[in-house]
């Protein structure tokens, strides 16, 4: 599968579009003022521990206290808090843990009040960003993801990615990691580690150890609540997590960012540096690669598919509901067995729904109402199709088979708010009022503005862009309005058309093609 990454950098921030076979499947946005971002690490203070919820509320500087459930406490939470105390007291002289005396693991079935108390200082990582009226969700299972490995302090866990299937390779990586992993640090070996030698894996771990060292240095003088570590910027983290041999190109419209990305790629995958391109064209980068059009067609409440079938996507506080509609697919325009048409629409919809979940980053509970199918084999076909389509989805998810009423339930990991993009545009003719200027006065208005631009402001050759119907009226007859105005004003001008304009909308452009704002 060919993948392209299109990066649009502007004053508002960075937008990143991931295309698979030129189809938009992921859209990410990052503003320069992002706070409480996924994987950021804070030193916070326990505000209260609630036995009934088996959770604690933590002050990390957000307007609402962050939520920390007992199951998200590190089994070695006592060691983690001890590390903070010793570091702040100046008694922990190194970030390494080989001489650090670990505390006993907390009971996995225990209660939060036995593990932490009010005013305790803890080190916690953003597990879910603030959503709606909820604060961030935290975890004390601190992790540092690298290109090939993930490092976890206060752990002795060693695991290999399930996507590495070869038994000999798994055994090789296990043996290498046992040799090079630092004491009292766990390691998760990522898929990208497959085939790498010991030196490359060791270098990856050493880079991650430097991040832990930076946190240790910051903790010494940090007063809670304080951010002690920021995740890589969104662009670099996507490079780290997504980059593989299927990437065709990475296109960026900012020279400075292009240099940064080239430098970063040179470190993690030097063989991929040649796929990075700078987009210097005047055509907006998202327009050039058809991203803008796909955004407009994909983020509305109604999503239409090539066959004419469409989805209606509704978000509620509790869940997302998706309704599959056949449109004219099962009407008279298409002949055939209605049963076969139903399975055709449902299979197409399953593919599009998998794309929509990734694209909008929809999380939580999703309920899908497919078109009725009585045949259990056909229901299984739809279930298998959506399973296959979601294999590329990096978010954890669970898909349940269709019920006899053709309802499907999906749960998908929610770590960020659902992406909502306004696809409707303000009517340029009425500017949202629902009223337009009288059509009888339109030509008088255009003529008045044309006279002002030519006689008062001294513009030379002008172009007026209007709706095709207005252009036809301008040029009809032996002596057209166009000719009359040219003689009267003693100026030549061009009348051009744009079908996207409203009936009473018009624009003026100078000789250089730049619009003249009135």
């Amino acid at each position: 599968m060919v993948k392209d990454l299109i990066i649009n950098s502007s004053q508002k921030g960075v937008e990143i579009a991931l295309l698979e076979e030129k189809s938009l499947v992921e859209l990410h946005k990052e503003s320069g003022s992002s706070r409480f971002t996924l994987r950021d690490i804070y030193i916070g203070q326990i505000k209260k521990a609630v036995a009934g919820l088996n959770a604690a509320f933590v002050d990390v500087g957000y307007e609402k206290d962050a939520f920390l459930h007992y199951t998200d406490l590190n089994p070695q939470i006592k060691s983690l808090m001890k590390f903070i105390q010793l570091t702040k007291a100046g008694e922990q002289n190194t970030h390494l843990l080989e001489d650090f005396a670990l505390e006993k693991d907390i009971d996995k079935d225990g209660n939060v009040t036995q593990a932490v108390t009010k005013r305790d200082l803890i080190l916690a990582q953003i597990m879910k960003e603030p959503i709606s009226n909820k604060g961030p969700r935290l975890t004390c299972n601190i992790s540092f993801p690298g290109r090939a490995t993930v490092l976890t302090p206060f752990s002795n866990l060693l695991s290999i990615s399930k996507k590495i299937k070869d038994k000999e390779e798994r055994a090789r990586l296990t043996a290498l990691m046992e040799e090079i992993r630092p004491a009292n640090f766990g390691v998760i070996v990522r898929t990208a580690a497959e085939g790498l030698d010991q030196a490359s894996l060791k270098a990856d771990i050493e880079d991650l150890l430097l991040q832990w060292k930076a946190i240790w240095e910051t903790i010494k003088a940090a007063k809670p609540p304080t951010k002690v570590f920021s995740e890589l910027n969104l662009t670099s983290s996507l490079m780290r997590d997504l980059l593989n041999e299927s990437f065709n190109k990475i296109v960026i419209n900012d020279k400075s960012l292009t240099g940064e990305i080239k430098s970063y790629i040179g470190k993690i995958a030097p063989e991929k540096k040649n796929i990075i391109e700078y987009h210097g064209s005047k055509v907006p980068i998202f327009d050039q690669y058809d991203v803008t059009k796909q955004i407009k067609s994909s983020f509305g409440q109604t999503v239409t598919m090539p066959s004419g079938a469409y989805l209606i996507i509704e978000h509620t506080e509790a869940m997302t509901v998706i309704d599959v509609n056949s449109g004219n697919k099962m009407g008279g325009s298409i002949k055939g067995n209605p049963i076969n048409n139903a399975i055709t629409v449902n299979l197409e919809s399953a593919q599009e729904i998998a794309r929509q979940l990734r694209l909008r980053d929809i999380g939580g509970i999703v309920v899908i109402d497919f078109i009725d199918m009585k045949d259990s084999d056909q229901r299984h076909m739809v279930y298998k199709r959506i399973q296959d389509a979601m294999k590329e989805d990096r978010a954890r998810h669970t898909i349940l088979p269709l019920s006899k009423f053709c309802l499907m339930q999906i749960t998908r990991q929610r770590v960020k708010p659902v992406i909502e993009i306004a696809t409707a545009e303000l009517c340029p003719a009425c500017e949202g009022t629902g009223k337009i200027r009288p059509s009888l006065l339109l030509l008088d208005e255009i003529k008045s503005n044309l006279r002002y631009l030519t006689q008062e402001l001294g513009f030379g050759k002008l172009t007026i862009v209007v709706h095709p119907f207005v252009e036809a009226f301008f040029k009809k007859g032996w002596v057209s309005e166009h000719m009359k105005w040219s003689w009267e004003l003693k100026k030549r001008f061009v009348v051009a058309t744009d079908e996207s304009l409203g009936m009473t909308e018009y624009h003026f452009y100078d000789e250089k093609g730049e619009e003249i704002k009135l």
Side-chain angles (χ1 to χ4, degrees):
M1 181 180 292
V2 176
K3 298 180 181 180
D4 299 324
L5 208 62
I6 313 300
I7 303 174
N8 177 34
S9 178
S10 66
Q11 292 181 343
K12 295 180 180 179
V14 178
E15 293 178 293
I16 304 169
L18 174 63
L19 308 181
E20 291 181 354
E21 304 294 348
K22 298 185 178 181
S23 175
L24 180 65
V25 295
E26 289 186 24
L27 182 66
H28 303 271
K29 293 190 175 187
E30 179 180 46
S31 64
S33 60
S34 295
R35 296 180 66 224
F36 304 99
T37 304
L38 190 67
R39 295 200 186 102
D40 282 354
I41 299 175
Y42 286 78
I43 181 169
Q45 189 171 45
I46 301 291
K47 298 297 285 185
K48 59 183 175 181
V50 183
L53 293 175
N54 204 15
F57 290 90
V58 186
D59 179 14
V60 291
Y62 189 66
E63 57 192 35
K64 292 193 174 183
D65 290 337
F67 182 81
L68 174 64
H69 195 269
Y70 184 81
T71 55
D72 295 317
L73 286 175
N74 190 318
Q76 276 285 313
I77 185 65
K78 296 292 185 182
S79 296
L80 186 58
M81 291 193 293
K82 175 183 171 183
F83 181 84
I84 295 172
Q85 292 168 357
L86 293 177
T87 299
K88 294 189 77 64
E91 298 176 21
Q92 180 65 32
N93 299 317
T94 176
H95 64 290
L96 299 175
L97 304 176
E98 53 192 359
D99 296 323
F100 184 86
L102 296 178
E103 299 294 310
K104 184 180 178 182
D105 283 6
I106 60 172
D107 184 358
K108 65 178 182 179
D109 297 318
N111 192 279
V112 70
T113 54
Q114 300 168 339
V116 296
T117 58
K118 187 176 181 179
R119 296 191 182 88
D120 279 346
L121 298 185
I122 63 164
L123 200 63
Q125 194 163 28
I126 302 293
M127 181 181 178
K128 292 183 181 179
E129 295 177 5
I131 296 174
S132 185
N133 60 350
K134 300 175 183 177
R137 180 161 182 169
L138 305 177
T139 178
C140 290
N141 292 300
I142 308 296
S143 63
F144 300 93
R147 173 72 173 152
T149 61
V150 178
L151 193 67
T152 57
F154 304 103
S155 170
N156 285 303
L157 173 70
L158 173 58
S159 65
I160 310 294
S161 169
K162 293 179 181 179
K163 292 183 179 180
I164 300 176
K165 304 292 185 183
D166 187 86
K167 291 183 179 179
E168 291 184 3
E169 178 64 6
R170 293 179 68 87
R172 182 187 77 88
L173 290 170
T174 300
L176 283 179
M177 283 301 153
E178 290 291 3
E179 289 181 25
I180 64 178
R181 72 181 175 117
N184 294 323
F185 283 87
V187 174
I188 301 169
V189 180
R190 308 185 74 175
T191 310
E194 190 169 10
L196 294 183
D197 58 21
Q198 184 173 5
S200 300
L201 294 169
K202 188 174 182 180
D204 196 60
I205 288 177
E206 287 176 349
D207 284 343
L208 300 179
L209 275 174
L210 289 176
Q211 296 177 16
W212 174 246
K213 183 179 181 181
I215 289 177
W216 170 69
E217 295 279 4
T218 306
I219 287 175
K220 294 177 183 178
K223 293 182 179 180
T226 302
K227 182 192 291 189
V228 295
F229 176 78
S230 288
E231 167 67 311
L232 288 170
N233 63 57
L234 181 59
T235 309
S236 298
S237 64
L238 284 172
M239 296 293 109
R240 178 195 65 204
D241 295 341
L242 294 176
L243 191 65
N244 56 39
E245 65 281 352
S246 65
F247 265 77
N248 181 50
K249 59 186 172 186
I250 300 168
V251 189
I252 311 158
N253 67 344
D254 181 272
K255 282 188 177 180
S256 175
L257 186 57
T258 302
E260 290 177 21
I261 295 299
K262 279 188 175 180
S263 176
Y264 183 70
I265 296 295
K267 294 178 182 177
I268 65 169
E271 73 282 0
K272 285 289 183 181
K273 283 183 70 174
N274 62 340
I275 70 173
I276 301 171
E277 301 176 13
Y278 168 65
H279 177 82
S281 169
K282 291 183 179 179
V283 179
I285 188 170
F286 272 12
D287 291 353
Q288 179 76 39
Y289 292 93
D290 202 33
V291 175
T292 303
K293 183 178 179 180
Q294 292 194 59
I295 289 174
K296 290 291 185 183
S297 64
S298 300
F299 277 92
Q301 183 183 37
T302 301
V303 179
T304 303
M305 293 172 284
S307 69
Y310 61 93
L311 308 174
I312 296 178
I313 303 176
E314 294 274 6
H315 300 291
T316 71
E317 186 68 24
M319 68 179 69
T320 299
V321 181
I322 302 177
D323 186 32
V324 177
N325 292 271
S326 61
N328 61 7
K329 182 73 177 177
M330 295 174 67
S333 61
I334 296 184
K335 297 178 181 179
N337 189 330
I339 297 176
N340 293 335
N341 285 339
I343 183 63
T344 301
V345 170
N346 284 338
L347 289 173
E348 181 185 26
S349 299
Q351 192 78 32
E352 179 61 25
I353 287 167
R355 171 177 170 263
Q356 287 289 329
L357 295 181
R358 283 179 72 189
L359 182 56
R360 302 187 190 213
D361 205 9
I362 297 173
I365 300 172
V366 182
V367 177
I368 306 163
D369 182 10
F370 285 100
I371 296 171
D372 285 346
M373 298 174 294
K374 294 182 179 178
D375 190 332
S376 60
D377 289 339
Q378 290 187 342
R379 292 199 295 268
H380 183 73
M381 286 171 63
V382 174
Y383 173 62
K384 187 70 169 60
R385 173 66 62 87
I386 206 163
Q387 276 188 318
D388 292 342
M390 291 187 71
K391 282 181 179 178
E392 293 289 327
D393 195 337
R394 293 177 295 137
R396 292 196 301 272
H397 57 268
T398 302
I399 308 169
L400 298 183
L402 278 77
S403 71
K404 66 178 181 180
F405 301 113
C406 281
L407 295 176
M408 175 183 282
Q409 297 176 65
I410 298 176
T411 58
R412 186 175 181 274
Q413 181 186 23
R414 173 183 282 165
V415 294
K416 296 187 296 183
V418 175
I419 294 178
E420 292 285 3
I421 293 177
T423 55
E425 299 177 354
L426 191 68
C427 171
C430 73
E431 298 182 342
T433 65
K435 298 178 181 179
I436 61 173
R437 64 181 67 88
S439 56
L440 287 173
L441 303 180
L442 176 64
L443 291 186
D444 289 343
E445 184 179 307
I446 295 175
K447 185 177 180 180
S448 173
N449 285 327
L450 184 61
R451 186 189 301 278
Y452 172 71
L453 292 172
T454 56
Q455 306 297 329
E456 300 292 331
L457 299 184
F459 278 96
K461 187 177 179 181
L462 294 174
T463 299
I464 309 172
V465 181
V466 295
H467 188 277
F469 287 175
V470 178
E471 187 256 2
F473 181 80
F474 256 114
K475 296 184 176 180
K476 76 174 183 178
W478 286 99
V479 183
S480 66
E481 290 294 316
H482 187 188
M483 294 174 65
K484 289 178 184 177
W485 289 12
S486 296
W487 293 334
E488 183 179 339
L489 300 174
K490 296 181 175 56
K491 288 286 184 180
R492 296 183 62 189
F493 64 92
V494 176
V495 181
T497 64
D498 184 345
E499 293 181 357
S500 68
L501 296 183
M503 284 286 292
T504 60
E505 185 183 2
Y506 60 91
H507 300 276
F508 289 100
Y509 294 86
D510 63 17
E511 292 180 90
K512 296 180 180 179
E514 296 180 357
E515 185 176 358
I516 303 168
K517 298 293 185 181
L518 292 170

